[in-house]
């Protein structure tokens, strides 16, 4: 048998090997090329397309912050005053300042927090949700962060902790001032201060006695018998006003501290007809249930007597109860008397009653 030459032998071995294992598999790039295209070079086969860089997620806006800066620190100022009526006048002054703080600071802050929740929700909806330039993980992470901030901004959330503290302080200070007003005027079950009795005795006494008692207080002397005359308003609230105005259990007003404020400071200066007008103004603003709502009234019999009721604050509590802060003003012959009161309506109740 003749031996094959080395070159021919090697060629046959190579052909047999290729036939046994087949041709090398084409790359994806080569397989997608037309049949008559030239083969890819080694550099082309090694090319890897660059990864797409994910853009930065939008930043959440800063959380609104509330501090106690500007809170009226006046609840004990009346202690520096001697005369009871002057003390009562100062408690009214402080109450007005507290109501202004509630209307101008606390209520707007609560609205700012609601706006903050709406803003962060809008950022997710318009800039992140469904945007394929972000990975699914990035979108999920942003959603979780947004929802966490949203929950913290709810009325019972961490972001409103300072708000709840200041609101509780406001409610406590206001109730305290109402109580101290009654203590110094003889309303709400407190005895009439001694100087009132002294004034009554001076009416039948000497001129010197009258002057002496007048110096003891700068309060409205015509209201020294407020407790007796206040019964007129009690009958009015329990009858005509309650039926005509839809205030529900309005007859209970007279028994509360804030109701007594109205009796002592304003009602005692008005005739029964004027009291009806003043009550109607309060009813009108409670029906509107909005900050800034104002109703005015005029005396049907006296040209120099008029007044108004204005809602200075509105607060809805988590349990559904709504409370209105109302400032009443009465002008008697050019002299203004201004008092504040808080009226609340529980969820499901027919009308507002003054908070004791």
């Amino acid at each position: 048998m003749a031996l094959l030459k080395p070159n021919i032998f090697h060629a046959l071995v190579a052909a047999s090997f290729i036939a046994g294992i087949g041709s090398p598999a084409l790359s994806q790039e080569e397989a997608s090329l037309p049949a008559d295209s030239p083969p890819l070079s080694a550099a082309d086969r090694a090319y890897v397309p660059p990864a797409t860089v994910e853009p930065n997620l939008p930043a959440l806006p800063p959380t609104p912050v509330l501090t106690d800066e500007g809170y009226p620190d006046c609840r004990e100022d009346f202690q520096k005053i001697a005369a009871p009526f002057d003390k009562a006048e100062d408690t009214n002054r402080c109450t007005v300042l507290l109501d202004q703080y509630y209307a101008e600071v606390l209520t707007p802050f609560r609205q700012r927090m609601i706006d903050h929740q709406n803003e962060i929700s809008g950022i997710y909806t318009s800039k992140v949700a469904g945007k394929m330039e972000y990975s699914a993980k990035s979108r999920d992470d942003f959603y979780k962060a947004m929802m966490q901030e949203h929950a913290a901004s709810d009325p019972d959330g961490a972001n409103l902790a300072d708000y709840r503290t200041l609101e509780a302080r406001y409610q406590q200070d206001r109730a305290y001032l109402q109580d101290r007003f009654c203590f110094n005027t003889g309303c709400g079950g407190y005895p009439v201060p001694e100087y009132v009795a002294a004034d009554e005795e001076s009416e039948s006494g000497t001129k010197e006695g009258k002057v002496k008692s007048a110096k003891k207080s700068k309060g409205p002397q015509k209201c020294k018998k407020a407790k007796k005359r206040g019964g007129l308003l009690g009958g009015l609230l329990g009858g005509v006003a309650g039926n005509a105005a839809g205030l529900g259990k309005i007859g209970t007003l007279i028994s509360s501290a804030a109701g007594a404020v109205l009796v002592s400071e304003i009602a005692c200066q008005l005739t029964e007809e004027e009291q009806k007008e003043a009550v109607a103004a309060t009813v009108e603003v409670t029906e509107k249930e909005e900050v800034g709502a104002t109703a005015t009234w005029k005396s049907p019999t006296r040209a120099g007597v008029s007044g108004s009721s204005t809602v200075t604050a509105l607060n809805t509590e988590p349990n559904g109860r709504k409370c209105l802060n109302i400032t009443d003003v009465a002008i008697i012959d050019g002299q203004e008397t201004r008092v504040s009161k808080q009226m609340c309506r529980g969820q499901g109740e027919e009308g507002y009653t003054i908070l004791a």
Side-chain angles (χ1 to χ4, degrees), residues 185-202:
T185 57
C187 64
Y190 285 104
V192 180
E194 292 182 1
Y195 79 97
V196 174
D199 284 339
E200 292 175 348
E201 292 174 359
S202 67

Side-chain angles (χ1 to χ4, degrees), residues 58-78:
L60 292 177
T63 304
V65 177
L66 177 68
T67 68
D68 61 356
E69 183 178 358
Y71 184 90
D73 188 16
C74 58
R75 61 171 273 167
E76 301 296 342
D77 287 355
F78 74 94

Side-chain angles (χ1 to χ4, degrees), residues 291-314:
V291 176
T294 300
T296 59
W297 60 269
K298 290 184 178 180
S299 171
T301 57
R302 294 191 290 173
V305 179
S306 62
S308 65
S309 292
T310 302
V311 178
T312 58
L314 167 62

Side-chain angles (χ1 to χ4, degrees), residues 229 232-233 235-236 240 267 270-277:
R229 297 184 61 186
L232 294 174
L233 184 63
L236 172 67
V240 178
L270 307 178
T271 65
E272 186 172 352
E273 290 78 11
E274 291 164 352
Q275 289 174 10
K276 292 179 181 179
E277 298 295 328

Side-chain angles (χ1 to χ4, degrees), residues 120-324:
I120 62 177
S121 298
I123 290 174
Y124 172 76
T125 301
S126 63
K127 297 183 179 181
V128 178
K131 305 299 182 183
M132 301 313 295
E133 59 264 35
Y134 301 114
S135 67
K137 182 179 184 304
S138 294
R139 294 194 299 270
D140 290 343
D141 289 346
F142 187 90
Y143 176 78
K144 292 177 182 177
M146 182 273 295
M147 290 301 296
Q148 183 177 0
E149 176 68 9
H150 198 284
S153 301
D154 283 338
D156 58 349
N159 292 344
L160 269 86
D162 292 336
Y163 170 87
R164 292 192 298 272
T165 298
L166 282 171
E167 185 183 35
R169 180 181 175 184
Y170 160 79
Q171 298 289 359
Q172 292 169 1
D173 287 353
R174 202 177 191 284
Y176 171 77
L177 290 170
Q178 289 177 352
D179 177 78
R180 292 299 86 189
F181 176 88
C182 276
F183 179 82
N184 287 288
T185 57
C187 64
Y190 285 104
V192 180
E194 292 182 1
Y195 79 97
V196 174
D199 284 339
E200 292 175 348
E201 292 174 359
S202 67
E203 291 178 356
S204 59
T206 63
K207 182 177 180 180
E208 180 180 357
K210 292 181 180 180
V211 173
K212 182 178 181 180
S213 62
K215 289 181 178 179
K216 297 175 69 176
S217 173
K218 297 179 181 180
Q221 296 301 311
K222 66 179 71 177
C223 280
K224 60 192 174 183
K225 297 182 180 179
K227 193 171 183 181
K228 295 179 181 179
R229 297 184 61 186
L232 294 174
L233 184 63
L236 172 67
L237 294 178
V240 178
N243 296 331
L247 278 184
K249 300 177 180 178
I250 193 168
T252 61
L253 291 176
I254 198 66
S255 64
S256 66
V261 170
L262 177 61
V263 172
S264 298
E265 285 293 290
I266 292 181
C268 66
Q269 303 182 53
L270 307 178
T271 65
E272 186 172 352
E273 290 78 11
E274 291 164 352
Q275 289 174 10
K276 292 179 181 179
E277 298 295 328
V279 171
T282 292
V283 171
E284 183 176 339
V285 296
T286 59
E287 290 176 342
K288 292 180 180 179
E289 288 189 337
E290 59 183 26
V291 176
T294 300
T296 59
W297 60 269
K298 290 184 178 180
S299 171
T301 57
R302 294 191 290 173
V305 179
S306 62
S308 65
S309 292
T310 302
V311 178
T312 58
L314 167 62
N315 179 46
T316 300
E317 300 177 358
N319 61 6
R321 186 176 74 159
K322 288 185 177 181
C323 291
L324 301 173

